[in-house]
Amino acid sequence: YLYGEAEVNYGEMNLKAGYIELDQNKSLVIAEALTDSTGKMYQKPMFSDGNQSFTSEKMKYNFKSEKGIVYGAVTQENDLYIHAGTTVFERQKHDHDHDCGAGCGDIVYNEDAIISTCDHEEPHFGIRAKKLKLITEKIAVSGPANLEIAGVKTPLWLPFGFFPITKGQRSGILFPKEYQFNQNFGFGLQNIGYYWGINENYDISVTGDVYSRGTWILKSDFRYNQRYKYNGSIRVSYGRLNYGDGVFPDDLLRKDIQNVFSLDLTHNQDPKAHPTRSLSGRIRFQLNNSNSRTQNDVQSVLENSLSSNLNLRKTFPGKPFEITTALTHSQNNRTRDVNITFPKFNYNMRRIFPFKRKVPTGGKKWYEEIGFDYDFEAQARVTAKDTLLFKRETLDEIKYGAQHRASANASFRIFKFFNLSPNISYTETWHFNTIRREFTTRNDTTLIAEVNPNDPLDTIYTENIVTTNELVTDNVREFKPFRDFRASLSMGTDIYSTLLFKNTKRLKGIRYTMRPNVGMSFQPDYTNPRWGYFESYERDGETITYDIFEGGAYNQFVSDAGRQLNVDYGITHILEAKHISRKDTTGKAKRIRLLENINMNGSYNLAADSLKFSQISMSGGTSIFQKKTRIRLTALFDPYDINENGQRINTFYRENTGKLLRFDRFAGQVSTTIDWKDVRKWLGLDKNENQNQQQGGSGGGPRNDGGGGGGPGGQNQNNQQFIGSLSLTHIYNFNITKTNGFQTTTHNLRLNGSIYLSEKWAVNGSASYDIKNKDFGYPSLGFSRDLHCWQMGFNWAPTRNYYSFSLRVKPGSLDFINIPVNQGQFNSGFR
């Protein structure tokens, strides 16, 4: 007879309880919980024997026959908790030479059992069954069962139940996560399918969305992971959206079928897999705006572009060479233009210093600073609308090309304070496709039939000649190189000015840095006929010139500005301060930037016969509020005036207005990102918490449903409530131009973020507002509530007439128990 925290061990059996009675002669052990003065049980029996373990109120066990009976048992199998009134269990015996795996698990018979994924002592929900058979680590089988919520029976019954509890990976049916009614497609089930666990390195799930009016979407998600080698996934989606009107029986069914397709491929190679070769990247591609049509998250709806980059890279240790092969892709979701570069080959030689001495003696020579680099690239590119991408006529228009790039540069220190940087670059592009244009006039003749008014049986035919003027562009298959030569020389220095303060407490000094630079650059006149880069055609008596490489493999733009002999100039301003923070007890001054890189740049073309001065650009930025808010401004000014069409003319703006520069455009962006750490600092919560810790308090206390301790959603020792977590970002953009008066071309505000009001409550949302057009972009609002073993959530996007509400069991073996309400998955419009 053992009392108080008793424990018995016998072979693999372990038993702990408040009271244990052990009978050696009968091979019988009895265990019970203790009861306090209020009748509450404590030190309940905890039993484990091989694969079987549970807690209970009372139990009997024969350690010879390895059978037992338990009252009020609580058994855990993976994420399932089984509470039973009476339990009889039996340990399976088998030969020691035979490994039967999970099929030899212990057999447990439960009476009046409830199955739940809730770990509460009294489960908040569960499936109640009169009889339940459990084979540990394999399966639980029940007879008729009823869903209970908070101890209340619901009208939902199961005639029988199978609950797989195999540990590790297992295949099976995926239940739909969403049920909805759509005005266009009818009633639908989402994400219903099958999961196949191939092995520990590979798995695949195939799911689909099905709607009653013929719309369907099929999705496949294949994942792989080879330890120390590579990992990745391939996600493919294809569907047919039926927008046909078949609601009213009196109307004919109007078929409006639109196909959608998306591909998301990711591959990452482990750095340990190979020392000199790697393959990594991501491919994202879609047709017919698949993501925005079939999904409602902010990124899918507002994403204007997609891009891909998959790279195979080879390096040569000890040598400056590198070879890469890449597949790249860019896609504009608004214009539906797709640009694909088929595997692009690149041979790169990093910068080398051929004149550098292997064994230097004395000081460094000037010629040792001269460096060379070289790069060769070959590619094939195709551009088309996404719906026409795989048509034969599109594939016939693939552009091919190759490019050599070489440069030589150096950097010298002259006159002690100046940096001189000469640079020479040469690029030769091989085009295998060029264009020719011709403006033609075409006469189309049609016959107009009229009845003869004098003879109804006679028909009079009259010729109608329609003249059409059109520009015809022909693709020419020919080899034509484009050679681009550039040379430049620049010189710059740094000028500092420092102002120190001796009698101030916080501000210790200000330093102003100015970085002027001046240089010259040269570029030949590529419009000269001897280059052969330009052709022309006549239109309405006007000669129009174009370059023959337009739309080629490199989409190269050949400058038609003539010979360039520019004097380039620029200046950069930086303003910094040394400041001692009030919160810094060390007294050490920190450097902060008041103005960051205020730049002004322009040029003067000595070779031009007019408009010698370029436009003058100014840009700059700074950070405020402890670098949480970033401000970036750009402006463009012009020394020349413009005509009534907004074109620059060779007349200085000062001559007409008396002002030196003409304002052209101004743009700016203000962005702020705030998180919970910033809020804590502003509210002084960190200071209070540090004081509590110094006083010996941990900020904790008994944990309650609202959270406890000093973590998210908790309380400090003074019971001061605070927001658990915060992430908020806002971006404000504007762009102002002045041609015939001031015009605002871009003016919008974007806001998104999430706020955790407590450990249980969270609110999230996003919105964008076009101030110029007075229109909302894609506002969305949602909240979620953690209900211990349940989750509740709501999302609303009014511009798509979309909302969803769900009350579901947390992900696990019973997550098919849920109440989803979903509408407007594919709709648009504000209703």
Side-chain angles (χ1 to χ4, degrees), residues 505-506 508 579-591:
K505 186 176 182 181
R506 300 295 178 187
K508 295 301 180 184
H579 177 263
I580 299 178
S581 174
R582 296 179 182 273
K583 299 180 180 180
D584 192 344
T585 58
T586 63
K588 185 178 180 180
K590 294 183 179 180
R591 180 184 298 178

Side-chain angles (χ1 to χ4, degrees), residues 296-298 301 763-767 776-784 793-806 821-825 827 829-831:
N296 277 296
D297 60 282
V298 175
V301 174
V763 178
N764 61 80
S766 65
F776 282 98
Y778 184 68
S780 65
L781 178 67
F783 68 83
S784 62
F794 175 79
N795 288 283
W796 178 49
T799 57
R800 288 171 69 94
N801 193 28
Y802 166 78
Y803 70 86
S804 68
F805 173 81
S806 64
V821 179
N822 201 334
Q823 177 177 315
Q825 176 76 6
N827 289 349
F830 191 38
R831 305 182 181 178

Side-chain angles (χ1 to χ4, degrees), residues 594 622-631:
L594 304 177
T622 186
S623 298
I624 58 177
F625 303 131
Q626 298 179 353
K627 296 186 178 181
K628 295 302 176 181
T629 297
R630 174 73 178 169
I631 302 175

Side-chain angles (χ1 to χ4, degrees), residues 6 40 63 74 100 311 313 341 346 386 406 413 426 508 521 634 684 766:
K40 184 177 180 180
F63 46 82
V74 180
C100 58
N311 291 280
R313 180 170 173 263
T341 302
N346 183 274
D386 58 359
R413 175 77 73 172
Y426 174 76
K508 295 301 180 184
S521 59
T634 59
S766 65

Side-chain angles (χ1 to χ4, degrees), residues 549-620:
F549 303 116
E550 183 179 328
Y554 287 89
N555 201 20
Q556 202 158 27
F557 172 76
V558 183
S559 173
D560 60 356
R563 185 167 175 260
Q564 300 288 311
L565 183 58
N566 292 329
V567 176
D568 304 311
Y569 57 89
I571 187 169
T572 299
H573 308 271
I574 300 174
L575 186 63
E576 300 172 299
K578 279 197 171 184
H579 177 263
I580 299 178
S581 174
R582 296 179 182 273
K583 299 180 180 180
D584 192 344
T585 58
T586 63
K588 185 178 180 180
K590 294 183 179 180
R591 180 184 298 178
I592 57 174
R593 285 199 172 186
L594 304 177
L595 295 176
E596 302 176 5
N597 296 332
I598 307 298
N599 301 312
M600 183 186 71
N601 296 282
S603 64
Y604 180 81
N605 187 3
L606 297 173
D609 55 0
S610 62
L611 300 174
K612 292 178 178 290
F613 284 99
S614 71
Q615 291 182 317
I616 299 173
S617 64
M618 299 183 66
S619 64

Side-chain angles (χ1 to χ4, degrees), residues 220-517:
S220 174
D221 188 356
F222 173 72
R223 301 182 301 174
Y224 55 92
N225 189 348
Q226 193 73 31
R227 192 175 183 184
Y228 302 127
K229 290 186 178 181
Y230 51 78
N231 66 81
S233 64
I234 303 175
R235 295 180 174 89
V236 181
S237 172
Y238 176 76
R240 292 170 63 86
L241 310 183
N242 185 2
Y243 290 91
D245 185 4
V247 179
F248 302 103
D250 295 338
D251 294 344
L252 295 176
L253 177 64
R254 292 185 289 108
K255 291 185 177 180
D256 184 7
I257 305 296
Q258 298 188 20
N259 298 332
V260 291
F261 172 81
S262 67
L263 170 67
D264 191 341
L265 182 151
T266 303
H267 181 84
N268 299 299
Q269 180 175 312
D270 194 295
K272 305 182 184 68
H274 199 280
T276 64
R277 187 175 62 247
S278 65
L279 175 63
S280 297
R282 185 179 184 184
I283 295 177
R284 298 181 66 213
F285 176 76
Q286 67 175 4
L287 293 177
N288 210 3
N289 285 342
S290 174
N291 292 344
S292 63
R293 286 175 178 266
T294 60
Q295 302 178 50
N296 277 296
D297 60 282
V298 175
Q299 181 179 356
S300 299
V301 174
L302 297 181
E303 195 170 33
N304 293 329
S305 61
L306 295 176
S307 61
S308 306
N309 199 334
L310 186 64
N311 291 280
L312 175 62
R313 180 170 173 263
K314 172 66 177 177
T315 59
F316 302 89
K319 299 180 179 179
F321 305 112
E322 179 181 278
I323 296 176
T324 60
T325 301
L327 173 65
T328 61
H329 146 265
S330 62
Q331 183 172 358
N332 189 310
N333 296 335
R334 292 186 179 273
T335 63
R336 310 280 287 279
D337 291 328
V338 181
N339 191 332
I340 298 179
T341 302
F342 293 97
K344 178 171 61 176
F345 175 81
N346 183 274
Y347 175 82
N348 175 261
M349 183 187 75
R350 296 188 299 274
R351 191 182 186 190
I352 61 173
F353 299 89
F355 305 115
K356 194 172 184 178
R357 293 170 294 175
K358 294 183 179 180
V359 183
T361 57
K364 182 180 292 187
K365 305 298 183 180
W366 65 269
Y367 51 80
E368 293 185 85
E369 298 289 343
I370 300 176
F372 291 89
D373 56 73
Y374 170 76
D375 180 72
F376 171 76
E377 181 181 282
Q379 69 176 25
R381 186 174 65 86
V382 61
T383 301
K385 299 293 183 181
D386 58 359
T387 53
L388 303 176
L389 187 61
F390 300 106
K391 301 292 184 180
R392 178 61 183 269
E393 54 269 23
T394 301
L395 298 178
D396 290 340
E397 296 297 325
I398 295 179
K399 311 294 184 181
Y400 305 92
Q403 191 173 79
H404 303 265
R405 294 185 293 265
S407 66
N409 49 65
S411 180
F412 308 108
R413 175 77 73 172
I414 62 173
F415 306 122
K416 191 175 180 180
F417 299 108
F418 296 91
N419 293 319
L420 185 66
S421 301
N423 180 75
I424 300 175
S425 65
Y426 174 76
T427 301
E428 181 170 315
T429 306
W430 295 347
H431 291 271
F432 297 92
N433 305 83
T434 59
I435 64 170
R436 297 295 186 274
R437 286 176 176 163
E438 183 179 5
F439 189 75
T440 62
T441 301
R442 187 181 67 198
N443 295 325
D444 296 325
T445 303
T446 59
L447 293 178
I448 300 177
E450 295 178 342
V451 178
N452 189 342
N454 300 322
D455 187 357
L457 300 179
D458 185 22
T459 303
I460 301 175
Y461 294 94
T462 305
E463 288 187 352
N464 182 37
I465 301 177
V466 179
T467 302
T468 304
N469 298 324
E470 62 178 352
L471 180 64
V472 179
T473 301
D474 295 324
N475 290 318
V476 181
R477 297 284 184 180
E478 66 172 347
F479 172 75
K480 180 70 175 179
F482 168 64
R483 300 178 177 92
D484 185 13
F485 173 80
R486 298 171 187 266
S488 65
L489 179 68
S490 63
M491 182 176 65
T493 187
D494 290 354
I495 301 173
Y496 301 97
S497 178
T498 303
L499 179 62
L500 299 178
F501 303 100
K502 296 182 179 180
N503 300 323
T504 57
K505 186 176 182 181
R506 300 295 178 187
L507 185 61
K508 295 301 180 184
I510 294 178
R511 186 174 75 168
Y512 167 69
T513 304
M514 182 174 63
R515 294 173 179 169
N517 63 84

